[in-house]
Structure formats: structure tokens, C-alpha cells
Amino acid sequence: MAVKLQRPILVGGIGLSLLLWLLDSVQHSVAEFGGTAMLGIMAASLGVWLLKRPKSLTTQKPIIIPSPTKEAAEEAIATLTTTIDKLALEVEDINKSEKIGNDITQLRQKVVNLTQELQREELSIVITGNQGVGKTALTEILKSHWISKNSQKIEVTDITWQSEWITKNEDAQVNPLSPYDLILFLTTGDLIDSEFQALSKLTTFGQRFILVWNKQDLYLPDQKPQILQKIKETLSTINSEENLVGTSARPNSIKVRKYQQDGTIQEYIEQSLPEISGLAEKLNQVLEQEKEKLVWATTRRKAEIVRLEAKNILNQIRKERAIPVIEQYQWIAAAAAFANPVPALDLLATAAINAQLIVDLSAIYEQKISLEKGKQVAGTMAELMLKLGLVELSTKTLTIILKSNSVTFVAGGAIQAVSAAYLTRVAGMSLVEYFATQTDTNSVNIEKLGKILQSVFSKTQENNFLKSFVSQVMSHVLPQDKKLEVVSIQTE
């Protein structure tokens, strides 16, 4: 039984058909009420329907991705090896734990495995899509009707698509589907925007996919060409219109009537056979023509996954080296502000962000920023903090905490000291996160840095952390006979 279309296909044609149908259905009313008025009502109704329909897909320029090569995969493995070597050299200067040593050994073994994988014969296919598109049914049908007849070793699995895979970290071109050679992305009609964005990202990541229009049996015969044409037009913007096939993995059962010789009618329900011939033909074509390219592309992505794993270990080591540097500067900032109190909004220009701190942190992350460049970055961060309102917010919050203890509150420069130390810490921890992912040292990505500042600021606004931090700052700047009273801030 056909269902009513709920996807945004060929609105103009369907809308016109709707008007004609309505006109025919209410022809008597038209005669009585007036043709012009009735057409106006129908046009207005159609307008409301158009306004309420799903938004059109985001348009973009065609994406052109270079064809996968063995050289590109080998280069990715070489880059991974360089990262591991850099990690090994860096841990030589610290007390290398047994765990880090084992991590490096495992990373080097993965390099060996990836090199061997360039000659891999077996392929892996993942079936994905939103919920309810028929992933499990298609997986079962492929295993029983296609893989069983294929001489090559093929693994098929299904995973429900998650939108956060492409929004959580837009910089990293890896996701849970990266280790698979071929993606079968299922839909049940014309693409909605979230599906199109997913396919666009997969194309950008260089991942090979086939778009499978499943459950075709739910549509009337005259609807299918319309949907097919619309999907092809959408796919043309990412150069993938030829990668579209239709299936009915688990068609609805149908009622069959059989006339008996005695004139009676026998009715029974019959299960329709699955239709995957188009998909099977496309899969055979891809395996025959693109098998090596699929392996090369997947190996390159896997090398990137392992490189990020090594980079995370390296960044953690660097972060452990960076925190004592940040603490050193935050105490310096606190002492300077306590001895020479300045208005809260002038803290950034005096002690809260020190250009030398930026230079020292950049050296840890091999960014090699000069002192002159450090001053420019410091100025940029000061502007961002003021623009985002972090200075004012932090000062108000810290003042409330300081008021809870009369000794610390009445101490000259207490607010400025704590604020200077706090903002220096926020700036330093933000730089740690920024340098961990930044590769271009010639410019500052202001938008990215601003997001990191806001994120770090939010993480440090937890009340228990702030109380503890205030206590630490005041213990550094107050005279010795007053330090004991600072403990009361933590115990209240």
C-alpha cells in the first residue's frame, strides 16, 4: 500500500496537481462562490503548505576530492611515524612511565600493521542511516543473497548514523565510519538536510559511499521517477549522482486473490521478495574497479586515526609541562596586581596576559612565537576577553567569594590580585588547548580562540574550584600572619 509523500520533492508539480484536484473536487462550490475567490483560497492554502514544508537543502559548490592513491596512504603513514618519533624524543626528557613506553611500542606496531594493510584483500562495508530506514534488513539480505555468492572476503555491519560525528569536532576528518572501506548510506526518499550534510562531510573526508534509496515499495510507480530525479539533482552538488541505487530490502506483504474452479475466491497474504539487484550490481562494479583505491583510502584514514592518538598522548605530556609555567605566571600576575592595584578592566593590559607567557607556552608546543608576535597575540586575547565579558564576569564572581572572608576582602588589591591570577590561568589554559590543535603559526584564528576562551572560562566557573583558587592566590600574596585565616574560605 502506497503512503503519502512527506519529503520535499517537486513542490511545483505536486502543488499544481493539488490545485487541479481541489478545483475538480469543489467545482460546484466554485460555481456558487465564485471561481476567482475559490482559486484564491486554494492558492493561499498552498502557500501555507509551502511555508511549513522542510527547509530546502543547503546549497554549496561542487566538492572535488582527489582520487585515492597508494602514495597518499604511504605519506599518511610517514606523517604518523614522524609524530611517534617526536613523541618518543619528547618523553626522553621526562621520567617516562611504563605506560607511555608501552603506548609508544603499540603505536609503532600499528605503523607496521598499516604498512601491511596496503596489500589487504578483504573489504569492510558499513550500512548506516537514520533510524527506521531498514539498515538491519538490508544487512541480513546482503549477507544471505550477495556475500554468500561473492568469492571475495567481505564484512558487512550496520551502525545508526549520529549527527554529532560531523559536528563534534569539525577539524578532525575522522569519525566512527572511517575504518570502513565503503559506506552504504540509507534513506527512504528525497534527502532531508541532515542527510545531505552527512553525505557532504563524507565526501569532504574522502570516504566512498553509495546512497541507497530503500523501501521503494512504499511509493506509487509514478512517484518514483520524480523522487529519483530530485535525489540525483541533490547529489550532483557533491559529484555523486551516479552513486544512487534503489532497493526494497523487506517489501510489504501483499494480499493475493485466487479464483477457484467452483467460482469462490481465496484470499491470502504473500510476502514479496526483496529487491536488491541494482545494489548488488553496483557493489560488484565497485569491487571490480575500485578495490585497491578503497583499501588505500581507508589505510590513509586509519593512519590519521593513529596519528591523532599519538598526538593526544603528546599533547597530554606537553600540558603537564605547561601547567607549572602557567601557575608561575599567575602568581606573578597576582603579586604585581596586589602590590599595585589597578582598575579591574585594566588587568589585561598589566598582568593578566603576559606576552612572555605566550612565548614560553608556544615553545612547549613547538609553535616558536617571537616576543613581538606574542605581544600581538596577547592584545588579541585581551580584546576577546573584554568583548566576551569575561573580565567583568570573573571580577564579580570573585568579589562575592572574597566578601565571605573579611581578612581577604579588606586587604588592599585583593580583588585585583585574584582577578589577575584567574584571568592569567584562563588565558594560559586556553592557549594550551589552542596550541594543541593549531598548525598555522603565522596567524591567529580569532573565532577558534574565542570559542576556546569561552569553553575554558565556563569550565573554571565551578564554585568549589573558585573558592580553592582564591585561597591559593591569597596564600601567595598575603603577609605570613594573615595566611592562616584564608583557609576559612575553603571550609565555609
Side-chain angles (χ1 to χ4, degrees):
M1 184 179 195
V3 298
K4 181 181 178 182
L5 284 177
Q6 295 182 342
R7 302 283 185 132
I9 66 165
L10 298 177
V11 174
I14 294 178
L16 180 60
S17 300
L18 178 63
L19 280 175
L20 293 175
W21 176 80
L22 286 172
L23 181 60
D24 181 67
S25 301
V26 296
Q27 54 184 337
H28 298 296
S29 299
V30 170
E32 297 176 2
F33 189 64
T36 302
M38 183 60 65
L39 284 174
I41 292 173
M42 289 187 291
S45 300
L46 178 60
V48 172
W49 177 74
L50 289 173
L51 289 174
K52 290 184 177 181
R53 72 187 181 91
K55 294 182 179 179
S56 59
L57 301 178
T58 304
T59 58
Q60 64 179 52
K61 295 181 180 179
I63 302 172
I64 300 176
I65 301 297
S67 178
T69 63
K70 186 177 182 180
E71 290 73 21
E74 291 174 337
E75 182 179 350
I77 295 175
T79 302
L80 164 61
T81 302
T82 301
T83 304
I84 297 174
D85 291 341
K86 186 179 296 184
L87 171 61
L89 287 173
E90 193 139 345
V91 297
E92 286 182 359
D93 298 331
I94 62 175
N95 294 325
K96 182 171 67 172
S97 66
E98 182 178 352
K99 181 181 183 306
I100 295 179
N102 292 335
D103 288 341
I104 294 176
T105 301
Q106 293 175 9
L107 289 170
R108 293 199 186 281
Q109 182 58 49
K110 290 180 180 180
V111 172
V112 175
N113 297 340
L114 287 170
T115 303
Q116 297 173 345
E117 191 165 313
L118 289 172
Q119 309 301 325
R120 174 166 52 87
E121 290 294 328
E122 64 275 10
L123 293 179
S124 59
I125 298 175
V126 61
I127 299 176
T128 190
N130 294 321
Q131 292 185 348
V133 294
K135 297 182 294 295
T136 303
L138 184 59
T139 301
E140 294 173 354
I141 294 298
L142 283 179
K143 288 181 177 179
S144 60
H145 287 70
W146 179 66
I147 294 181
S148 60
K149 300 177 182 179
N150 201 297
S151 59
Q152 302 186 59
K153 185 177 180 181
I154 301 170
E155 177 188 355
V156 177
T157 188
D158 63 274
I159 302 175
T160 299
W161 174 262
Q162 304 293 331
S163 59
E164 57 265 26
W165 290 347
I166 60 175
T167 59
K168 187 176 181 179
N169 188 353
E170 297 181 355
D171 293 334
Q173 296 190 3
V174 295
N175 60 72
L177 304 184
S178 295
Y180 295 94
D181 298 308
L182 180 63
I183 299 173
L184 303 185
F185 196 100
L186 268 62
T187 184
T188 55
D190 187 18
L191 294 174
I192 58 177
D193 191 71
S194 61
E195 293 171 331
F196 175 71
Q197 295 302 325
L199 295 178
S200 297
K201 280 294 183 180
L202 292 176
T203 302
T204 303
F205 295 166
Q207 288 193 253
R208 183 70 167 87
F209 69 84
I210 296 174
L211 179 62
V212 181
W213 172 21
N214 194 31
K215 299 187 179 182
Q216 285 191 320
D217 57 297
L218 298 181
Y219 296 90
L220 296 171
D222 60 341
Q223 293 174 337
K224 293 180 182 180
Q226 298 174 338
I227 301 175
L228 186 65
Q229 180 60 32
K230 182 61 178 176
I231 298 177
K232 285 185 175 180
E233 290 176 1
T234 302
L235 288 178
S236 66
T237 63
I238 53 177
N239 298 325
S240 299
E241 65 269 24
E242 75 280 2
N243 296 316
L244 171 64
V245 295
T247 60
S248 293
R250 186 174 290 166
N252 287 336
S253 56
I254 59 175
K255 181 184 290 186
V256 177
R257 287 186 175 185
K258 185 176 182 180
Y259 290 88
Q260 306 296 321
Q261 291 183 352
D262 59 1
T264 60
I265 299 176
Q266 180 183 3
E267 292 186 348
Y268 57 93
I269 302 299
E270 183 176 293
Q271 181 61 48
S272 302
L273 294 175
E275 174 51 52
I276 63 164
S277 58
L279 176 58
E281 181 180 351
K282 184 65 177 179
L283 287 172
N284 291 332
Q285 176 188 343
V286 170
L287 294 181
E288 180 181 353
Q289 299 178 1
E290 306 179 39
K291 180 178 178 180
E292 284 189 329
K293 292 182 178 180
L294 292 175
V295 172
W296 295 336
T298 303
T299 303
R300 182 188 62 79
R301 291 193 301 272
K302 287 182 177 180
E304 175 63 11
I305 292 174
V306 181
R307 189 193 70 80
L308 290 176
E309 182 182 345
K311 187 68 179 296
N312 288 336
I313 298 174
L314 181 59
N315 283 335
Q316 183 59 40
I317 293 173
R318 289 174 171 176
K319 184 176 181 179
E320 292 173 359
R321 292 171 54 196
I323 289 178
V325 176
I326 295 172
E327 291 177 344
Q328 177 186 2
Y329 278 93
Q330 73 187 27
W331 304 143
I332 293 174
F338 186 79
N340 300 286
V342 294
L345 293 181
D346 290 335
L347 287 170
L348 297 176
T350 56
I353 299 180
N354 192 299
Q356 188 60 49
L357 169 61
I358 296 174
V359 172
D360 291 348
L361 291 179
S362 70
I364 294 176
Y365 285 86
E366 297 186 335
Q367 297 289 314
K368 299 178 181 179
I369 293 180
S370 65
L371 183 58
E372 188 62 32
K373 182 69 175 178
K375 293 178 181 178
Q376 296 176 10
V377 176
T380 299
M381 294 191 73
E383 292 176 2
L384 282 173
M385 282 189 161
L386 289 170
K387 182 178 180 180
L388 296 172
L390 305 189
V391 180
E392 184 178 1
L393 286 173
S394 62
T395 302
K396 287 181 178 179
T397 304
L398 295 170
T399 300
I400 293 173
I401 295 176
L402 283 166
K403 283 183 177 180
S404 64
N405 183 275
S406 59
V407 174
T408 58
F409 184 65
V410 299
I415 295 175
Q416 288 84 350
V418 175
S419 296
Y422 175 73
L423 292 173
T424 300
R425 185 173 186 84
V426 170
M429 298 305 296
S430 298
L431 286 167
V432 164
E433 290 194 21
Y434 182 78
F435 287 146
T437 58
Q438 188 71 3
T439 56
D440 182 12
T441 60
N442 295 321
S443 62
V444 177
N445 188 328
I446 297 178
E447 181 180 359
K448 182 178 180 180
L449 186 56
K451 290 181 179 179
I452 293 176
L453 275 169
Q454 286 182 303
S455 175
V456 172
F457 181 81
S458 298
K459 292 175 184 176
T460 58
Q461 284 293 291
E462 200 273 327
N463 194 51
N464 289 333
F465 168 81
L466 290 176
K467 285 185 176 181
S468 175
F469 186 79
V470 168
S471 177
Q472 293 177 46
V473 173
M474 297 312 298
S475 68
H476 277 77
V477 299
L478 280 178
Q480 188 66 34
D481 60 339
K482 299 293 185 182
K483 288 184 179 180
L484 292 177
E485 301 185 55
V486 179
V487 179
S488 63
I489 297 178
Q490 288 183 289
T491 59
E492 287 183 353

